[in-house]
Amino acid sequence: MTWASWTTTGVFAGRGGVRTEEAGILTGDLTVHTTWDGREADVTVQYSGTSQWFTLTGSPVSCPTEQESRTLHQEIVEAVRAGGGATVPSTTETYR
């Protein structure tokens, strides 16, 4: 089985934070984690330094390649910094 994952710590969410399935909007100092299983990417966030992870709204998303999943992770990190209730893009077309 092919898989990969990326974690970025210390991502300060911009005004409006990020939207999660379990907890609604999160703001502040967050950690972003993306796991790719060869077909799709799962994106979660947590308050940095804590143990509870929250699913970013829109996750999982279809993602056919490891490189595209890495690009997606970076795009999401940037979206978290921008805030505005950031979510996962609905298709790979947004980050190709």
Side-chain angles (χ1 to χ4, degrees), residues 6-93:
W6 297 272
T7 304
T8 304
T9 60
V11 182
F12 193 83
R15 175 175 271 170
V18 300
R19 185 173 305 279
T20 68
E21 293 298 315
E22 301 86 359
I25 299 292
L26 300 183
T27 60
D29 184 10
L30 303 174
T31 296
V32 179
H33 180 77
T34 302
T35 302
W36 176 71
D37 69 3
R39 298 180 335 254
E40 61 186 17
D42 290 299
V43 184
T44 56
V45 295
Q46 71 177 180
Y47 286 109
S48 293
T50 67
S51 61
Q52 187 171 8
W53 290 95
F54 302 97
T55 305
L56 198 61
T57 298
S59 178
V61 64
S62 177
C63 197
T65 70
E66 183 177 343
Q67 181 56 47
E68 288 181 31
S69 65
R70 176 65 181 105
T71 300
L72 171 66
H73 176 79
Q74 190 57 44
E75 294 276 332
I76 291 170
V77 167
E78 292 169 16
V80 170
R81 288 183 177 132
T87 62
V88 176
S90 60
T91 69
T92 58
E93 295 303 315

